[in-house]
Amino acid sequence: MRSDTVTKGKQQAPHRSLFNALGLTPEEMERPLVGIVSSYNEIVPGHMNLDKIVNAVKQGVAMAGGTPVVFPAIAVCDGIAMGHLGMKYSLVTRDLIADSTEAMAIAHQFDALVMVPNCDKNVPGLLMAAARINVPTIFVSGGPMLAGHVKGKKTSLSSMFEAVGANAAGILTDEDLCEFENKTCPTCGSCSGMYTANSMNCLTEVLGMGLEGNGTIPAVYSARIRLAKQAGMKVMELWEKNLCPRDIMTEKAVLNALTVDMALGCSTNSMLHLPAIAHEIGMDFEIDFANGISEKTPNLCHLAPAGPTYMEDLNEAGGVYAVMAELNKKGLLHTDCMTVTGKTVGENIAHAVNRNPEVIRPIDNPYTPTGGLAVLKGNLAPDGSVVKRSAVVEEMLVHEGPARVFDCEEDAIDAIKGGKITAGDVVVIRYEGPKGGPGMREMLNPTSAIAGMGLGSSVALITDGRFSGASRGASIGHVSPEAAVGGPIALVKEGDIIKIDIPNLKLELDVSEEELAKRKEALKPRQPKVTTGYLARYAAMVTSGNRGAILEIPRK
């Protein structure tokens, strides 16, 4: 056992004395030490129930003969961090989570790990850590929130942000806004649509790192507690077999995740996180993979914000396994991949049944024959950009219009809410990328304001920042190279015509190469927005959005 390094032999007597100080018995020190990484806190609604999940995991580990030991991971609520300085600290926590978990797990020589995340950056951060540490590991999340109910309709967080825009436009009364505020988020759990948290928890099942239901069983269901106990017991089986994350998270597994991503219509943020996870297993993930997989993968689900169904509906319809079973009817998955169940993907989904073809469309009756995400390239985004195509209305799939240029998110929001953006415009928000932000802020406030003010079918938004999974419409993010490193988005001027062609995967600035060259020559470097603390270190090390905003030591 790895923990023998700190529990066995005379040389380890000082170590054992410290375990004695923890109250551990000799019997507990004889068993495998299982680290339980708890993302519990009292500020994130998706994490406020994780103490119960962690306690259930501890019971499962102990029942199966292990010694459970809890240590923490941080978490940021993207909703609370939205629209202000705090959003600069959201994406960057992914790497803090991975780094700190790696440090704790190796420093204390755990034999196995159970990861208990839920919201946006915890899931990919802990998947990255699992790949690095590479001891037997299983995931069990806190589960999604139930949908809210306002005036007889189900709602979610995106409805709330759009209600603010509708109120600003005079479409929604103050009383109705208050009703949304009080009813939109009715329970604990990750917000109820196919946003980033739920996308990544579902993809954890696909990667083979979570048990069936990990992504879809609602947070308030007792089945979630049972799942946690099962995960605690299952990790001991993984330890006995020495089945480790890099045995499970292979290149084929990552491609499976990208395929199911397309079918589910996941958040564009998955196109930051899957490359980062792939990087940890040594896989060179080009975001262009998305288009090749999208070409042959039908979009089977329209969960909020793309449609009227929610995570609880997906769960009742058969969950992630039912989606995978539909895809497998056309041989779109690598079914020989091993998983934490101890069985292959093919064995896991053999029993899966699609119980509601309105929630999970059958493979021969998809919403669209192509997947939910698309990577667009052109002279405005030579290295790529990402759009959630399944959440774009038909009339905006091909669009051209004048650029309305803003050098930060706040200025764009002021213009949108001030009625300065009109039908046909293409809003450009730049210097919000990984380096330029720094931290690549989410743009849910401006996209929601556009939708709430009735402009969702006539205005596009393009940024080197990123979008919340709750964003919908012609919202094109991750434009690479970003403005802060002199990418073409830095050269756009007010009124330039921008051409968007999602079916043909094009994003073009209608300006001659000669004129762009002149603008490039005249472009003056900008001083960093942040020069101290973690954000400054992050900005110095982070790569572009098309590479997953991974961290690399700068080369001299």
Side-chain angles (χ1 to χ4, degrees):
M1 293 192 300
R2 177 182 287 220
S3 60
D4 288 352
T5 309
V6 292
T7 59
K8 299 290 193 302
K10 292 182 180 179
Q11 196 67 29
Q12 279 64 47
H15 303 76
R16 288 194 297 277
S17 72
L18 293 168
F19 282 115
N20 288 336
L22 290 170
L24 293 188
T25 65
E27 291 82 1
E28 287 174 301
M29 283 184 259
E30 286 291 326
R31 298 171 183 166
L33 290 182
V34 180
I36 302 173
V37 186
S38 170
S39 302
Y40 169 77
N41 64 42
E42 295 182 341
I43 189 63
V44 184
H47 289 231
M48 62 180 285
N49 65 320
L50 295 190
D51 55 341
K52 296 177 178 59
I53 303 296
V54 166
N55 284 336
V57 170
K58 288 175 68 176
Q59 291 179 52
V61 169
M63 284 191 290
T67 298
V69 181
V70 179
F71 65 89
I74 63 168
V76 164
C77 176
D78 275 24
I80 294 173
M82 194 71 65
H84 57 85
L85 178 65
M87 182 45 72
K88 293 180 184 289
Y89 285 88
S90 172
L91 178 61
V92 306
T93 63
R94 183 186 73 185
D95 296 274
L96 281 175
I97 292 160
D99 292 348
S100 59
T101 302
E102 173 193 353
M104 287 291 288
I106 295 176
H108 300 102
Q109 293 291 284
F110 287 106
D111 295 298
L113 296 168
V114 182
M115 307 295 199
V116 187
N118 207 29
C119 288
D120 293 21
K121 310 309 169 298
N122 290 80
V123 185
L126 291 178
L127 285 165
M128 291 161 67
R132 288 184 203 171
I133 301 159
N134 204 38
V135 298
T137 302
I138 195 169
F139 278 65
V140 57
S141 75
M145 183 184 292
L146 293 179
H149 292 266
V150 177
K151 300 188 186 306
K153 292 184 178 180
K154 286 185 177 181
T155 61
S156 58
L157 187 64
S158 53
S159 314
M160 183 71 251
F161 276 89
E162 290 177 17
V164 174
N167 178 257
I171 300 169
L172 194 72
T173 67
D174 289 351
E175 291 76 16
D176 285 341
L177 181 64
C178 185
E179 184 178 4
F180 269 93
E181 181 180 332
N182 286 297
K183 295 181 178 178
T184 292
C185 298
T187 70
C188 62
S190 48
C191 295
S192 57
M194 187 52 79
Y195 309 144
T196 306
N198 293 325
S199 295
M200 293 310 302
N201 280 320
C202 287
L203 296 186
T204 298
E205 281 190 57
V206 185
L207 285 167
M209 294 297 294
L211 298 176
E212 181 180 8
N214 180 66
T216 60
I217 297 172
V220 294
Y221 283 14
S222 297
R224 177 65 55 178
I225 300 296
R226 295 197 298 273
L227 185 75
K229 291 176 183 175
Q230 289 161 356
M233 291 185 281
K234 184 63 69 172
V235 79
M236 297 309 299
E237 289 184 26
L238 298 176
W239 174 76
E240 288 169 2
K241 296 175 180 176
N242 195 30
L243 187 58
C244 296
R246 285 185 214 161
D247 301 321
I248 294 168
M249 288 193 287
T250 61
E251 290 194 15
K252 286 182 178 180
V254 172
L255 294 177
N256 278 348
L258 189 51
T259 299
V260 177
D261 184 314
M262 295 297 171
L264 284 172
C266 289
S267 164
T268 51
N269 283 313
S270 63
M271 293 302 292
L272 285 173
H273 302 321
L274 286 177
I277 294 162
H279 177 73
E280 297 293 345
I281 64 168
M283 176 184 177
D284 186 15
F285 186 110
E286 295 289 337
I287 62 169
D288 286 6
F289 290 162
N291 289 337
I293 288 179
S294 179
E295 188 81 19
K296 60 185 180 182
T297 306
N299 178 226
L300 305 181
C301 299
H302 267 192
L303 292 121
T309 54
Y310 295 80
M311 294 305 297
E312 61 203 65
D313 302 313
L314 179 60
N315 187 63
E316 294 303 318
V320 175
Y321 278 18
V323 176
M324 295 173 73
E326 289 289 349
L327 294 172
N328 198 43
K329 290 176 182 177
K330 290 198 173 179
L332 296 176
L333 297 176
H334 298 283
T335 56
D336 57 340
C337 294
M338 183 52 63
T339 73
V340 291
T341 66
K343 299 177 181 178
T344 64
V345 166
E347 291 171 316
N348 284 343
I349 66 175
H351 72 279
V353 176
N354 182 355
R355 299 189 185 93
N356 189 339
E358 296 301 314
V359 176
I360 304 170
R361 287 279 187 93
I363 192 77
D364 56 1
N365 183 34
Y367 282 100
T368 57
T370 53
L373 298 181
V375 173
L376 313 183
K377 286 190 172 184
N379 67 348
L380 187 52
D383 293 339
S385 61
V386 182
V387 63
K388 188 171 182 176
R389 137 166 76 187
S390 61
V392 180
V393 295
E394 185 74 25
E395 53 266 40
M396 289 298 290
L397 290 172
V398 178
H399 177 79
E400 67 176 75
R404 305 298 309 279
V405 183
F406 304 93
D407 287 349
C408 68
E409 178 188 3
E410 289 82 357
D411 290 350
I413 293 171
D414 288 344
I416 295 164
K417 291 188 174 178
K420 296 176 182 177
I421 302 301
T422 59
D425 286 347
V426 179
V427 176
V428 176
I429 305 177
R430 62 191 180 190
Y431 295 102
E432 290 285 8
K435 285 185 180 292
M440 204 178 187
R441 287 195 287 181
E442 284 189 345
M443 302 290 166
L444 180 56
N445 271 353
T447 58
S448 297
I450 287 170
M453 297 185 76
L455 296 170
S457 60
S458 60
V459 169
L461 195 155
I462 296 172
T463 181
D464 54 7
R466 62 193 178 91
F467 294 110
S468 165
S471 293
R472 62 186 177 98
S475 303
I476 301 167
H478 309 193
V479 171
S480 302
E482 62 175 290
V485 298
I489 193 172
L491 310 178
V492 182
K493 291 186 177 181
E494 187 81 6
D496 285 347
I497 298 299
I498 292 176
K499 296 181 177 181
I500 300 164
D501 187 346
I502 295 173
N504 290 304
L505 310 173
K506 294 289 185 183
L507 182 61
E508 298 281 349
L509 181 63
D510 193 15
V511 174
S512 69
E513 290 185 18
E514 293 77 16
E515 173 61 19
L516 288 177
K518 287 179 186 177
R519 294 182 188 182
K520 180 81 171 176
E521 193 173 335
L523 187 66
K524 295 179 180 178
R526 293 194 170 214
Q527 292 300 312
K529 292 178 184 175
V530 179
T531 57
T532 59
Y534 178 57
L535 284 180
R537 295 197 301 276
Y538 181 88
M541 297 176 68
V542 72
T543 61
S544 64
N546 70 298
R547 297 189 59 203
I550 60 173
L551 300 186
E552 287 184 338
I553 297 170
R555 294 174 183 170
K556 295 182 179 179

